[in-house]
Amino acid sequence: MQVRTRHTPSYGVARLMLAPGEPVRVESGSMLATSYGVTVESRAQGGFLKSLARSALGGESFYVSTYTAPQQGGWVDVAPTLPGDLNVLELDGRVGWCVTKGCWLASASTVQVEAQWGGFQNLFGGEGGFLTRLSGHGSAVVACYGALDVVTLQPGEYITIDTGHVVAYADTVQSQLRQMNQGVAQSLKSGEGLVFDFAGPGQVLTQTRNPRGLVGWLRANGLGPRS
């Protein structure tokens, strides 16, 4: 599979170029268009329990759609729900990636997609207790809300990032979740909740906009659900 992106960095679309008979896994609901003859099958990826973990705990769809090219090859266009940039991760079988809620878009069939425990405190931060972990070989596409920043940490280098701005990080990076301010009252005053502390070596991908901020703005202006 080869990936060609367009309309980045604001309204990214990824075209997944497939060889004859090649399958690709796509987050349910992300397909924009396909070349003629491409077939699709939606199923629980990795069995019922793993799919339930991805859906209820990881924030992804219960079903994963597998698109397969016909004998002459083909392509699939995918796009995220929110406007923003795209990034293509090239997995080499050695370094995996942890992707936060709603950011995984598509990956080659040789890439394993599963839920990974992200820390007990995360259950209280609105991000979901599980992350999506990518491993294996091949290309994977992740999406962000807003523009994408790539932070490259050297060994022993640290950074603190709000959870709502984290897109993905390499599993060579050490991470921990904590509350930015001690006590609920302080968190309400500052508008900050949970943050990730990261330690290198490795890369961390961040987004310049926070989806929680969009939800809060919609609610404040009577344009979204209040539950």
Side-chain angles (χ1 to χ4, degrees):
M1 182 183 80
Q2 297 181 338
V3 182
R4 301 174 184 172
T5 60
R6 63 183 190 275
H7 304 313
T8 57
S10 298
Y11 298 97
V13 176
R15 175 158 293 185
L16 314 174
M17 306 296 299
L18 305 176
E22 182 180 9
V24 62
R25 297 191 182 103
V26 175
E27 173 70 340
S28 182
S30 297
M31 189 274 287
L32 176 66
T34 74
S35 59
Y36 186 77
V38 171
T39 60
V40 60
E41 179 184 18
S42 294
R43 60 187 303 176
Q45 182 64 37
F48 178 81
L49 292 179
K50 287 186 177 181
S51 295
L52 182 62
R54 288 185 64 250
S55 176
L57 302 173
E60 309 293 349
S61 299
F62 182 85
Y63 293 101
V64 171
S65 298
T66 299
Y67 292 84
T68 304
Q71 289 307 306
Q72 67 269 27
W75 52 264
V76 179
D77 278 357
V78 295
T81 301
L82 295 175
D85 207 349
L86 301 175
N87 190 71
V88 182
L89 303 175
E90 298 294 345
L91 281 75
D92 59 5
R94 295 176 299 170
V95 178
W97 282 82
C98 296
V99 184
T100 58
K101 180 178 179 179
C103 292
W104 174 75
L105 199 59
S107 56
S109 60
T110 51
V111 174
Q112 286 74 54
V113 181
E114 57 188 355
Q116 175 171 298
W117 180 241
F120 181 75
Q121 295 182 64
N122 213 10
L123 290 173
F124 303 100
E127 303 302 322
F130 281 70
L131 304 167
T132 297
R133 186 175 187 275
L134 307 177
S135 60
H137 294 80
S139 301
V141 183
V142 295
C144 72
Y145 179 32
L148 183 83
D149 281 324
V150 180
V151 180
T152 301
L153 297 174
Q154 301 303 315
E157 184 179 3
Y158 293 82
I159 191 172
T160 298
I161 306 173
D162 181 273
T163 54
H165 287 276
V166 177
V167 174
Y169 57 92
D171 61 12
T172 57
V173 176
Q174 298 182 55
S175 66
Q176 71 169 9
L177 277 163
R178 65 178 174 86
Q179 196 169 20
M180 185 66 178
N181 292 295
Q182 296 300 317
V184 175
Q186 287 298 318
S187 294
L188 291 174
K189 289 178 182 178
S190 67
E192 303 295 338
L194 293 177
V195 295
F196 274 114
D197 290 326
F198 293 110
Q203 289 188 331
V204 180
L205 309 183
T206 67
Q207 55 193 5
T208 59
R209 297 293 182 268
N210 186 337
R212 291 199 310 267
L214 174 62
V215 172
W217 185 90
L218 291 172
R219 288 176 176 170
N221 289 274
L223 301 175
R226 298 183 178 274
S227 57

